[in-house]
Amino acid sequence: MTVRRFDEVVDSDVLVVGGGIAGMTVALGVAPHSVNLISKLQLGYGSSSRLAQGGVAAALGKEDSPDLHAQDTLAVGGGLCDPRVVDIITREGPRQIHKLVDLGARFDSDSSGEIHLGREAAHSRRRIVHANGDSTGAEIVTVLTDTIRERGRVGVMEDCFAADLAVANGRVVGVIAYGERGWILCRARATVLATGGIGSVFAFTTNPPEATGDGLAMAARAGVQLSDLEFVQFHPTALACKQSPMPLLTEALRGEGAVLIDESGHRFMLEEHPLAELAPRDIVSRAIWRQLQEGRKVLLDATDVVGSRFPDRFPTVFRLCTENGLDPRTEPIPVSPAAHYHIGGVVTDMRGRSSMPGLWACGETAATRVHGANRLASNSLLEALVFGSHVAEDVLLRVQSVEISPEESLVETDFQKPAENEELKNQVRAIMWDKVGLIRDETALSNALQELDDLKESFESFPGETNNILTVAELVTLAALRRKESRGVHFRSDYPESDRGWDRHLYHEPAPWVEHALA
Ligand code: SIN
């Protein structure tokens, strides 16, 4: 083994990996301590947060309450939400919105100056807070980025790739990262993973290319407990085009009354669910998928309900459509489901602590159990804000008592520059889309596992996105194979019903079943 020293060693009390809403919320919350934040691109870019159109669910309306919001969250969660966590995030929703307003966020308001509340699928009340019509994520990301830059207390390490967790004596003591000046050992008393999701492991996704599951893969390699990896949510209405990521046609359009039709104008969702287009997301996605598989086109028609108001009410969607030569004011828009959100992740408790001392996780990287087997729309930005704050509070309590580990106590590593293989990445994405997508079965999943294994053989393993994509693909496939039932976003055509026997979370840890399943 070639052992070389790091090109640089950087110390801080707290190290945050990830520059989306969750990571920035943590960094701002712990700022009295020294904090470094690693961002794969320039801060504020490259995260799914920025692309989030639909907003933040919060029980702010007169007819609404956190209890009703909790009921809706539990109703779609397929029996796997933790009601205590649901209670926390739904109660804290209004406070998080007011905190953002205090930081300067401008949410859309009605004529009386009250925050305007939109409706999305499976919400029984209007409770979606949005900004600039359909660029809510971008507004929050901009406010948090500006605050970090203005306050100047967070050390931002941009264009820096976090390759692996640094572990010494069973404790996470920071991260090994690769930046402009080479390999960096970032040592910290507390390390927080907020690296976002895994959309880029699938051929078609609404996520940015950077969503390669880096945090999940790092945690898996370090032996941190993970769960619910089979639950990948597909957004029903991405614009069916060749663009990557696929442009999102926000669920708020259906909340305003937009309908789904096939080429002949038939509104097929009326036969699928009493709530039609506002049925839970998994039901809408699979219904669209079946239409597409049967060779029909599916279109989202908002010409009657939005029409000429498009440029003002949904400026992002309007721009994305016109960039693709379509006019949503006057014509229905072709849609397809696309990988959108990973419900599973690093298991955390209610303070955001992972199973390994020294490591916290929040945002899409974490499995807090709030979403169960099916996430309610617009609950993810809320979760990122609430758990970002909780992690910061917990880290503040713990951080003083921990010594920074000396460099010598780290396991020696053979450092290689992160190596990427675009062709292999695309092969993995195609396998995942074809065999581990919206409708799964034993044969396809087993074939996927075999094909991923073959690809792994052909790939000399270096740290980097390619390696992470392969790792995450395998973890998701294994979990999907194990869960022999259908629940929420996980649908098995060979086990189409939910089964009370599977009324539990599946954990991935360095456990015997992994070796067994791979044997
Ligand atoms: C959307 O605008 O449809 C996305 C909202 C979400 O995924 O929660």
Side-chain angles (χ1 to χ4, degrees):
M1 182 187 282
T2 322
V3 181
R4 37 169 297 197
R5 294 191 66 77
F6 295 93
D7 300 297
E8 201 177 346
V9 178
V10 177
D11 288 343
S12 58
D13 289 337
V14 186
L15 178 68
V16 180
V17 188
I21 289 175
M24 288 198 281
T25 303
V26 178
L28 283 168
V30 297
H33 286 275
S34 65
V35 48
N36 282 329
L37 183 149
I38 296 181
S39 175
K40 219 169 171 184
L41 302 183
Q42 202 190 329
L43 186 63
Y45 291 86
S47 73
S48 296
S49 303
R50 175 173 276 281
L51 298 184
Q53 293 179 3
V56 186
L60 288 161
K62 290 192 181 59
E63 315 273 280
D64 203 0
S65 69
D67 285 343
L68 286 172
H69 185 181
Q71 274 171 31
D72 292 344
T73 303
L74 294 168
V76 300
L80 290 185
C81 301
D82 182 336
R84 294 166 308 164
V85 186
V86 173
D87 186 62
I88 289 174
I89 77 149
T90 51
R91 259 173 227 300
E92 282 196 33
R95 187 171 74 90
Q96 292 297 334
I97 297 298
H98 295 310
K99 240 170 86 178
L100 287 170
V101 170
D102 290 345
L103 285 180
R106 283 163 306 173
F107 295 116
D108 297 339
S109 51
D110 57 27
S111 50
S112 59
E114 297 286 317
I115 290 181
H116 180 267
L117 300 171
R119 174 125 196 250
E120 286 181 0
H123 285 275
S124 60
R125 296 289 186 279
R126 295 186 80 90
R127 65 166 71 99
I128 314 302
V129 177
H130 43 89
N132 307 316
D134 54 5
S135 20
T136 318
E139 174 70 11
I140 301 174
V141 165
T142 303
V143 164
L144 295 178
T145 308
D146 289 351
T147 310
I148 284 181
R149 299 249 191 247
E150 276 158 24
R151 294 191 182 165
R153 295 205 207 110
V154 179
V156 183
M157 302 167 70
E158 290 168 304
D159 300 311
C160 188
F161 179 73
D164 249 325
L165 292 171
V167 181
N169 307 320
R171 178 180 183 87
V172 174
V173 294
V175 153
I176 296 164
Y178 190 81
E180 257 175 16
R181 293 198 292 273
W183 284 103
I184 314 163
L185 172 61
C186 306
R187 299 187 302 185
R189 298 174 206 272
T191 301
V192 183
L193 286 179
T195 52
I198 66 163
S200 212
V201 174
F202 291 82
F204 299 101
T205 178
T206 60
N207 294 181
E210 296 74 37
T212 49
D214 302 332
L216 199 59
M218 279 193 266
R221 286 193 288 272
V224 177
Q225 190 177 55
L226 313 173
S227 80
D228 301 301
L229 301 174
E230 65 277 31
F231 296 119
V232 178
Q233 186 171 57
F234 292 81
H235 195 287
T237 57
L239 174 61
C241 67
K242 298 242 175 308
Q243 211 171 308
S244 181
M246 286 170 89
L248 191 68
L249 302 184
T250 176
E251 192 140 323
L253 287 162
R254 279 175 283 129
E256 293 283 309
V259 293
L260 289 161
I261 52 173
D262 66 16
E263 293 157 285
S264 68
H266 176 59
R267 200 176 150 200
F268 57 90
M269 278 310 300
L270 290 173
E271 292 125 40
E272 297 279 349
H273 195 275
L275 289 171
E277 285 81 3
L278 290 180
R281 214 172 244 194
D282 60 313
I283 291 170
V284 183
S285 294
R286 281 195 297 274
I288 295 176
W289 183 245
R290 280 194 295 272
Q291 296 283 330
L292 296 174
Q293 294 304 101
E294 285 162 20
R296 284 183 285 277
K297 268 193 184 160
V298 176
L299 304 132
L300 183 68
D301 187 354
T303 52
D304 279 348
V305 291
V306 185
S308 59
R309 293 188 297 127
F310 246 108
D312 290 334
R313 179 65 188 89
F314 295 102
T316 307
V317 172
F318 184 67
R319 176 179 53 77
L320 293 168
C321 289
T322 49
E323 278 170 9
N324 281 279
L326 298 160
D327 185 348
R329 291 173 299 189
T330 55
E331 60 184 323
I333 305 299
V335 292
S336 159
H340 185 61
Y341 187 87
H342 194 205
I343 290 173
V346 174
V347 176
T348 60
D349 67 11
M350 285 198 262
R351 298 159 295 191
R353 291 183 194 176
S354 78
S355 65
M356 195 172 266
L359 185 71
W360 284 253
C362 57
E364 197 171 341
T365 315
T368 61
R369 306 291 157 68
V370 74
H371 307 304
N374 195 12
R375 179 180 65 95
L376 189 65
S378 287
N379 265 356
S380 47
L381 295 189
L382 175 63
E383 184 206 19
L385 291 162
V386 171
F387 272 88
S389 304
H390 281 218
V391 165
E393 280 161 24
D394 194 51
V395 163
L396 285 175
L397 289 177
R398 302 270 302 163
V399 79
Q400 296 290 30
S401 56
V402 179
E403 287 297 314
I404 287 197
S405 240
E407 190 184 340
E408 293 71 45
S409 64
L410 290 167
V411 176
E412 293 168 348
T413 318
D414 179 7
F415 297 116
Q416 306 276 352
K417 187 172 181 299
E420 301 304 347
N421 182 331
E422 294 307 319
E423 197 189 319
L424 193 135
K425 279 182 183 174
N426 288 334
Q427 284 172 304
V428 174
R429 289 170 177 146
I431 294 169
M432 294 301 283
W433 182 257
D434 291 342
K435 302 189 170 78
V436 196
L438 285 103
I439 298 185
R440 303 161 168 177
D441 66 46
E442 185 92 14
T443 309
L445 291 168
S446 305
N447 289 344
L449 200 57
Q450 185 60 56
E451 288 171 35
L452 292 169
D453 223 25
D454 293 346
L455 286 180
K456 216 161 72 176
E457 295 274 298
S458 72
F459 176 64
E460 215 180 325
S461 173
F462 289 121
E465 286 183 344
T466 312
N467 198 346
N468 291 343
I469 282 182
L470 259 170
T471 302
V472 169
E474 197 164 56
L475 292 172
V476 171
T477 309
L478 281 165
L481 253 176
R482 265 181 91 202
R483 186 174 283 281
K484 295 190 192 313
E485 63 149 0
S486 292
R487 185 184 293 263
V489 297
H490 170 72
F491 188 84
R492 293 269 310 243
S493 56
D494 45 353
Y495 299 96
E497 304 298 329
S498 287
D499 176 346
R500 294 290 304 269
W502 286 100
D503 220 347
R504 59 195 161 89
H505 298 275
L506 297 185
Y507 292 88
H508 166 81
E509 38 199 329
W513 68 265
V514 178
E515 277 84 63
H516 175 72
L518 283 172

